[in-house]
Amino acid sequence: MAKVTVDGRVVEVPNDANALEACRAAGVDVPHFCYHPRLSIVGQCRMCMVEVEGVPKIQASCTVPVRDGMVIKASTEKALAARNATMEFLLINHPLDCPICDQAGECKLQDNAFAAGLPVSRTSEPRRQFPGYDRTPIGPHVIADMTRCIQCTRCIRFCEEITETGELTFIERGGHTIVWTHEGKALDNDLSACAADVCPVGALTTRDFRFRKRVWWLDKTRSVCDGCEIGCNISIEHRDRIVYRFLPRVAPAVNDFWMCDYGRFRSEELNRQDFLKPEIRVAGGDAERRQTNWGEALDAVKAAIEKDPSKVRVIGSAFLTTEEAWLLAALCKDSLKVGSPEFTVDIGPKRRIRNKVDGWIYGSEAAPNSRGCEAAGLTRTSSLSSSSPAVLYISDASFSEKCKDPAFVAGLRQASVLIVHARTRNALTDAADIVLPVAPLSGKEGTFVNAKGLVQRIDTAIVSPPVVRTDLEVLLNLGARWNAFDTQWTARDVFEKMQASVAGYAGLAWDSDALVGNPPSISPAAAYDVLGLERDPGVEVFSRPSVTAPDRLP
Amino acid sequence: MSGLSPAPPVLLARIGKPNSVSLDSYVADGGYASWKKVLEGVKGGEWTPAKVTDMVKASGLRGRGGAGFPCGMKWTFVPTKEKRGDKPVYLLCNADESEPGTFKDRLLIEKDPHQILEGMMLASFALDVKHAYIYIRGEMVHGAEILDKAVAEAHEKGFLGTDVLGSGVDLTITVHRGAGAYICGEETALIESLEGKRGHPRIKPPFPAVSGAWGCPTVVNNVETLSCVKHIVDRGAEWFKGVGRNEKNTGPKLYCVSGHVEKPGVYEAPTGIPWEELLALAGGVRGGRKLKAVIPGGSSAPMLTAAEIAGVPMDFDGLVAAKSMFGSAGIIVMDETTDIPKAVTNIAKFYAHESCGQCTPCREGTPWLLKMLRRIVNGEGKKSDLDLLLQISNQMGNGMTICVFSDAAIAPVISGITKFRGEFEAYIEKSTKPEFEQKAPTDLTNEIADRKAAGIHS
Ligand SMILES: Cc1cc2nc3c(=O)[nH]c(=O)nc-3n(C[C@H](O)[C@H](O)[C@H](O)COP(=O)(O)O)c2cc1C
Ligand code: SF4
Ligand code: SF4
């Protein structure tokens, strides 16, 4: 550790920290653009200028490695004048289009202009234009507008150093520098939208979110992506019951600052308004299904099960929270006496995410919580047995993609009574006798266990319409019919009841940081603000990565 | 013996001879004798790398590329074998010569390539280099062809390759063509470019001598610097030291004189030749006109008025004392007919075009300066422009950027406006811009203090 004095305050920082990080650790916020804790140091934006005692010239603090005993003066007249200067240079060509720019409100240029800029403009020259490089998609998810770019190269470094796909580059030179894809390439990799996250300004924005909502109206709820078992921490960003976007929430041991495009753009799924309603088919298989109320629906479930509990089969789903899975298992074991429920999970396309602890981590299951389900007492099967029980209870009907396949559904339909929890309509819900509509991710509360065995909490972003219940509520109400559960239990109550018996949950506190993770950041480009001082010690301080010398002879 | 007395040319000795580029003619003139001498002395321990380095140190040779850094000292910054381990050391010959007003390296390349190669060989020996590169400016197609041929010939004749002349020394030289960017002359940008990346200067430290090409210790030297090394080994450090004005400004030096002189060209003279003598070598000011100003070290050097340059020794320290710099010894002479605002605008155009675009102040500042200067010479200047130009310039230099390109870009603007303000004002007086736009620029110093007092700045 090195002892460093910043504006009279003494802080201890790791030996490999730089002066900018020392300032941040001392609570002196030095504005910056190109610095990012997970990207290499390039010292290009020249915003983080400070004075260092004993060094005559002003220094870009991110490029100055700390030394024990170093004295940094971050707020001298000279330092402030230097930052004013850089702000002025950045703004002379920046379009004043904040009113129509999606980044407004979470823009580092705006923030730093307020913090370090001057309220006057001294230029009267025409502003730079980039015809042909404005408002143009550069990949499936990202739209680029070079008039707003401040050439910080964060996006270029992201593609070189994090995804290692290298789609982006500088084109041209000097004041004409354009950040674009290499000729004939698209910004198309599995994490491509993160390039828009790291962009401090509105030069890169995502197609899906563009022009949809001013960011300051968005409510942010902590959640976990349910796209695969990696369990990237996310912020569900919503307003008036509409989900506008997912953003990654900083989780150094999981998704770090990133999330994959597949997971990110699942957000739109949460806006489906085709909610199901509780429905039952009373007589035999041929009668029409009719809408009903929850009381009647659950009574019907109980009646069907009680006819012959020995012939009941229950299938869970890795989309259940651990709390829900535990309720399902407890109900089966203690009340229905049908043995433990099974579940299966689709093996989907491989997903991956990178953090500095593990490097790349991979996910291959198409649901978030198979580990939690197992811990809660569900039995994992690779294929569902084809025995046809009298009653088949499935929670929920989206447990597998196969539930859209009529042939597969026909197999399940062999049961005399088919009961399903369902988030959305599919072939299986069409075939069911009793449909119990349940909330999607944004309406749920509980915990998932990810691929690394970490227990992570999700919060309710949007309370679903009254006709839709969470799986937790449904199971509690059903269990209450056998006097097994209390309908007033919350997810937290269930969490605390099951803790002792569920592997990996003992000793965890519902409200602990370990469970809830970091708060959503105000600006995705400065998401590391929530971490304070933290930089990857493996990131080289200088220049771009080097290759070995080519073996060339004349 | 005065170090400044005229002597037969050394660096330019072979220029103008028939077929001076061929190896045979070079050898016939005594070329490669030093290289042979050193190699033959390796086994007996008569010649060691340290001996060559010590000679260069003792000679007082300063870099001819622009910064004037003592060459021998730079070489000693390369970590010793124990410290660098398996890492090879690279020597890069900087042949990117693109500083406006500079054309000495090109002459050496096109007329006497083997002189450079021999200098590189000796430097490589001193630095334990196995692979040296010549990074040549993209536009110098002819020069690249000549160097390619010279290197091939040297390989063929056994002056390069493995176990050169049975000495156990290995050395390869590769000619690498740039793509014509001025910034690639900056040594770290040159290294990036050589590695196949964009020519972006690197953050220093680490300096190339510690971590340069492919992360290995690397010495970058100018064409002329390396050519001098050959002559130092030929004739000894004492001889080199004996030429030139004083201990710190030694050796024969190439001066590129251009502009309003009777005989523009490259002149060899002892380092520190007085301005008047140099001007006389170039035939004096064109047409007997009066001298107005001189840019003494390539476009990056602040210009000096006729009065300021009078009697100045044309060397590293002499020009620093005159508040300019020796740079690449590109001396641009401007007579009384020169329109300084237009000249400054022309130079500003060069820098706006050549900024690599990494650093905000340089990327944004150089075109801003150009736009304003253009406006002034196009008759749309405002009264406030000149102060603003100076203020912008002061925001661009002195550590505000990664490399000193930005400092170079502002030198002609600042010196031009401060020394010839009247000429700029004359343009502005004839301006067609309405009066109300001609307000004074905001005084930012007070602004900052006010905001600080108001607690707006942390
Ligand atoms: C913008 C810029 C351009 C430069 N261009 C050249 C050049 O064209 N040729 C050169 O030899 N040195 C050039 N230099 C200087 C080099 O960085 C370096 O100092 C020099 O090559 C070292 O060689 P020397 O010690 O032999 O002078 C340039 C420097 C800067 C900042
Ligand atoms: S597009 Fe954004 S992230 Fe990329 S260089 Fe420009 S401002 Fe930086
Ligand atoms: S000062 Fe200019 S030329 Fe030098 S690195 Fe910065 S932008 Fe590039």
Side-chain angles (χ1 to χ4, degrees):
Chain A
M1 298 295 271
K3 260 208 182 92
V4 179
T5 311
V6 183
D7 289 353
R9 274 168 267 189
V10 181
V11 279
E12 273 202 46
V13 290
N15 287 323
D16 72 330
N18 60 46
L20 173 60
E21 289 159 339
C23 292
R24 292 166 61 80
V28 177
D29 192 15
V30 175
H32 56 270
F33 295 104
C34 67
Y35 165 85
H36 187 287
R38 290 296 183 273
L39 302 176
S40 60
I41 298 288
V42 289
Q44 291 178 345
C45 74
R46 314 310 286 179
M47 189 67 211
C48 63
M49 308 306 283
V50 298
E51 285 194 82
V52 178
E53 214 169 79
V55 183
K57 284 186 179 177
I58 192 107
Q59 298 289 313
S61 55
C62 70
T63 67
V64 180
V66 292
R67 246 185 312 101
D68 197 38
M70 180 180 265
V71 178
I72 300 167
K73 295 175 181 167
S75 313
T76 59
E77 207 100 308
K78 192 169 160 191
L80 295 181
R83 291 183 222 152
N84 285 156
T86 297
M87 261 332 290
E88 177 169 44
F89 286 127
L90 283 173
L91 291 177
I92 55 168
N93 280 307
H94 196 81
L96 297 174
D97 66 349
C98 302
I100 55 146
C101 175
D102 282 289
Q103 195 81 2
E106 54 184 25
C107 174
K108 294 215 53 149
L109 193 66
Q110 273 187 334
D111 295 349
N112 290 344
F114 278 109
L118 293 162
V120 288
S121 169
R122 298 190 293 174
T123 179
S124 49
E125 315 310 320
R127 277 162 205 265
R128 185 167 62 215
Q129 304 283 318
F130 287 106
Y133 294 95
D134 46 359
R135 291 167 284 141
T136 307
I138 54 170
H141 300 300
V142 178
I143 295 187
D145 193 337
M146 275 310 108
T147 54
R148 294 178 187 152
C149 175
I150 58 167
Q151 284 84 16
C152 71
T153 69
R154 272 184 175 193
C155 57
I156 300 179
R157 283 175 284 145
F158 171 78
C159 290
E160 274 175 10
E161 297 162 16
I162 303 297
T163 62
E164 297 177 75
T165 45
E167 291 98 340
L168 295 176
T169 185
F170 265 174
I171 311 181
E172 284 288 340
R173 191 170 66 190
H176 302 288
T177 305
I178 298 162
V179 174
W180 211 252
T181 52
H182 284 283
E183 203 174 318
K185 262 200 161 185
L187 174 54
D188 189 6
N189 60 56
D190 47 353
L191 269 59
S192 70
C194 296
D197 287 348
V198 295
C199 180
V201 295
L204 300 183
T205 49
T206 55
R207 228 173 183 170
D208 297 62
F209 181 63
R210 221 168 129 79
F211 299 141
R212 284 189 64 205
K213 199 71 183 168
R214 303 296 350 196
V215 296
W216 52 85
W217 295 124
L218 291 171
D219 294 324
K220 294 169 180 255
T221 304
R222 295 179 215 226
S223 190
V224 169
C225 174
D226 65 356
C228 80
E229 78 270 33
I230 294 174
C232 290
N233 293 15
I234 59 169
S235 158
I236 299 182
E237 316 240 319
H238 56 100
R239 174 88 186 176
D240 297 336
R241 311 181 70 83
I242 296 171
V243 174
Y244 287 96
R245 62 176 178 184
F246 285 171
L247 282 183
R249 196 156 47 88
V250 183
V254 187
N255 52 306
D256 221 359
F257 295 92
W258 328 116
M259 75 181 296
C260 80
D261 291 350
Y262 166 74
R264 185 188 299 252
F265 298 114
R266 283 169 69 80
S267 61
E268 206 42 51
E269 198 51 21
L270 300 180
N271 289 330
R272 286 177 65 151
Q273 298 297 313
D274 53 347
F275 297 109
L276 295 165
K277 298 191 175 68
E279 287 185 341
I280 54 172
R281 185 177 355 237
V282 206
D286 296 332
E288 277 289 302
R289 218 163 59 192
R290 68 170 168 81
Q291 199 184 323
T292 182
N293 59 42
W294 275 97
E296 193 187 359
L298 291 175
D299 286 345
V301 172
K302 184 172 187 240
I305 289 173
E306 282 190 331
K307 247 189 209 155
D308 186 357
S310 67
K311 287 204 175 143
V312 174
R313 198 169 145 219
V314 178
I315 298 174
S317 149
F319 287 97
L320 294 177
T321 64
T322 311
E323 290 73 15
E324 292 159 350
W326 183 77
L327 288 178
L328 188 66
L331 191 68
C332 288
K333 206 161 92 232
D334 303 336
S335 306
L336 314 186
K337 311 252 189 284
V338 298
S340 82
E342 309 159 66
F343 79 100
T344 174
V345 55
D346 281 355
I347 301 304
K350 227 178 188 179
R351 316 281 171 205
R352 59 174 195 163
I353 209 75
R354 189 176 192 167
N355 67 42
K356 79 172 197 186
V357 189
D358 308 292
W360 285 108
I361 47 179
Y362 296 90
S364 56
E365 299 178 355
N369 197 29
S370 66
R371 283 159 188 76
C373 288
E374 277 185 301
L378 267 55
T379 307
R380 186 198 285 258
T381 56
S382 53
S383 66
L384 295 168
S385 65
S386 51
S387 74
S388 43
V391 176
L392 184 56
Y393 184 107
I394 299 177
S395 168
D396 63 74
S398 310
F399 72 90
S400 166
E401 276 295 298
K402 284 185 281 188
C403 299
K404 293 176 182 165
D405 171 12
F408 176 76
V409 170
L412 299 175
R413 185 56 273 196
Q414 301 285 311
S416 337
V417 184
L418 180 58
I419 305 163
V420 297
H421 289 207
R423 292 182 284 157
T424 49
R425 195 184 147 192
N426 62 21
L428 182 54
T429 63
D430 284 351
D433 297 309
I434 303 179
V435 177
L436 307 171
V438 290
L441 180 73
S442 50
K444 295 201 336 170
E445 192 183 18
T447 58
F448 290 151
V449 181
N450 86 343
K452 285 177 72 181
L454 297 171
V455 179
Q456 307 191 103
R457 204 179 93 188
I458 58 169
D459 290 352
T460 307
I462 297 171
V463 178
S464 303
V467 71
V468 174
R469 302 291 166 86
T470 64
D471 291 293
L472 191 93
E473 287 174 297
V474 175
L475 292 167
L476 287 175
N477 278 283
L478 188 62
R481 280 166 167 73
W482 281 274
N483 291 321
F485 309 137
D486 183 337
T487 56
Q488 297 304 306
W489 287 349
T490 60
R492 178 182 188 147
D493 295 331
V494 178
F495 172 86
E496 280 159 5
K497 282 180 202 311
M498 72 175 196
Q499 263 191 309
S501 61
V502 175
Y505 276 70
L508 294 180
W510 177 259
D511 276 334
S512 65
D513 289 348
L515 244 65
V516 297
N518 285 302
S521 56
I522 292 178
S523 153
Y528 45 90
D529 278 352
V530 303
L531 292 182
L533 169 86
E534 193 169 353
R535 189 171 61 80
D536 182 351
V539 169
E540 261 200 64
V541 182
F542 308 103
S543 172
R544 291 143 282 274
S546 280
V547 292
T548 28
D551 191 18
R552 272 182 301 182
L553 287 171
Chain B
M1 190 183 90
S2 160
L4 289 176
S5 56
V10 177
L11 292 162
L12 300 184
R14 303 187 60 254
I15 278 141
K17 292 202 173 182
N19 206 13
S20 62
V21 298
S22 80
L23 189 139
D24 289 340
S25 88
Y26 184 68
V27 171
D29 286 337
Y32 289 125
S34 287
W35 184 223
K36 276 193 197 146
K37 170 176 81 180
V38 168
L39 291 182
E40 279 158 12
V42 172
K43 292 234 162 104
E46 192 188 328
W47 279 94
T48 60
K51 183 168 170 185
V52 178
T53 305
D54 287 343
M55 281 180 88
V56 171
K57 262 206 236 163
S59 74
L61 171 63
R62 290 174 72 170
R64 276 25 180 166
F69 195 82
C71 181
M73 196 197 292
K74 189 193 272 186
W75 290 7
T76 58
F77 293 158
V78 173
T80 56
K81 217 167 186 143
E82 296 82 68
K83 284 205 193 133
R84 68 173 190 261
D86 289 344
K87 284 189 175 175
V89 183
Y90 292 108
L91 173 72
L92 312 184
C93 171
N94 189 343
D96 192 57
E97 185 173 65
S98 353
E99 176 88 6
T102 315
F103 38 85
K104 60 190 177 62
D105 297 346
R106 178 174 159 196
L107 187 70
L108 297 178
I109 292 164
E110 290 182 358
K111 299 293 179 202
D112 201 358
H114 287 285
Q115 174 177 238
I116 306 168
L117 295 187
E118 191 173 1
M120 288 180 71
M121 291 168 190
L122 294 164
S124 298
F125 174 75
L127 294 161
D128 191 22
V129 169
K130 305 264 177 296
H131 198 156
Y133 291 84
I134 304 175
Y135 185 98
I136 182 165
R137 174 178 168 180
E139 287 91 336
M140 295 196 202
V141 184
H142 184 48
E145 281 167 1
I146 287 177
L147 282 175
D148 267 334
K149 218 168 136 212
V151 169
E153 256 189 298
H155 269 279
E156 215 172 275
K157 296 275 161 68
F159 292 115
L160 287 172
T162 43
D163 191 17
V164 181
L165 304 175
S167 62
V169 173
D170 300 340
L171 178 61
T172 299
I173 294 181
T174 301
V175 179
H176 181 97
R177 286 185 60 198
Y182 168 63
I183 194 60
C184 288
E186 198 280 339
E187 53 188 7
T188 56
L190 184 149
I191 290 169
E192 286 280 302
S193 174
L194 182 71
E195 287 183 4
K197 304 174 198 153
R198 275 178 76 90
H200 278 179
R202 292 179 179 173
I203 302 164
K204 283 154 278 189
F207 289 94
V210 177
S211 175
W214 300 287
C216 301
T218 301
V219 169
V220 184
N221 272 135
N222 173 258
V223 166
E224 187 189 343
T225 315
L226 289 166
S227 301
C228 287
V229 170
K230 171 215 143 70
H231 296 287
I232 291 168
V233 179
D234 267 2
R235 305 181 184 209
E238 280 311 307
W239 159 78
F240 196 85
K241 232 164 91 180
V243 183
R245 182 166 68 95
N246 58 23
E247 296 256 296
K248 295 208 160 136
N249 299 278
T250 60
K253 178 77 191 87
L254 300 185
Y255 292 86
C256 319
V257 188
S258 64
H260 302 154
V261 289
E262 287 290 348
K263 291 189 290 171
V266 180
Y267 293 91
E268 181 174 334
T271 304
I273 178 175
W275 159 246
E276 286 73 13
E277 282 178 36
L278 182 63
L279 184 62
L281 282 181
V285 179
R286 177 185 69 166
R289 292 209 184 90
K290 254 177 67 187
L291 180 68
K292 184 187 233 172
V294 178
I295 295 174
S299 59
S300 309
M303 61 175 77
L304 296 174
T305 62
E308 284 168 332
I309 200 163
V312 169
M314 299 299 281
D315 61 25
F316 302 102
D317 299 327
L319 281 158
V320 166
K323 299 210 165 55
S324 184
M325 66 177 201
F326 195 31
S328 57
I331 291 140
I332 304 168
V333 180
M334 297 183 273
D335 73 16
E336 56 191 334
T337 63
T338 312
D339 183 324
I340 297 287
K342 279 193 175 153
V344 170
T345 308
N346 193 31
I347 298 174
K349 182 176 157 206
F350 172 79
Y351 286 103
H353 184 251
E354 295 293 341
S355 163
C356 86
Q358 284 192 93
C359 313
T360 305
C362 175
R363 179 185 69 240
E364 305 294 336
T366 47
W368 194 6
L369 294 178
L370 175 62
K371 282 179 186 172
M372 291 185 67
L373 287 163
R374 273 205 176 130
R375 201 160 40 68
I376 292 172
V377 298
N378 287 340
E380 293 193 11
K382 297 186 279 182
K383 280 201 181 114
S384 59
D385 283 344
L386 296 182
D387 287 338
L388 184 53
L389 278 167
L390 292 175
Q391 286 170 9
I392 299 169
S393 299
N394 286 325
Q395 290 180 181
M396 290 168 62
N398 264 319
M400 282 297 286
T401 52
I402 292 176
C403 84
V404 294
F405 176 100
S406 196
D407 297 79
I410 59 178
V413 178
I414 295 179
S415 60
I417 294 180
T418 43
K419 294 176 186 180
F420 298 93
R421 194 171 176 115
E423 291 192 31
F424 288 87
E425 280 167 351
Y427 268 108
I428 291 169
E429 240 129 67
K430 288 179 277 171
S431 168
T432 55
K433 269 265 159 179
E435 189 69 25
F436 67 83
E437 284 195 23
Q438 304 194 352
K439 59 179 185 208
T442 316
D443 184 346
L444 291 188
T445 359
N446 290 340
E447 194 77 45
I448 295 163
D450 290 351
R451 280 168 72 84
K452 208 177 166 197
I456 294 169
H457 284 304
S458 51

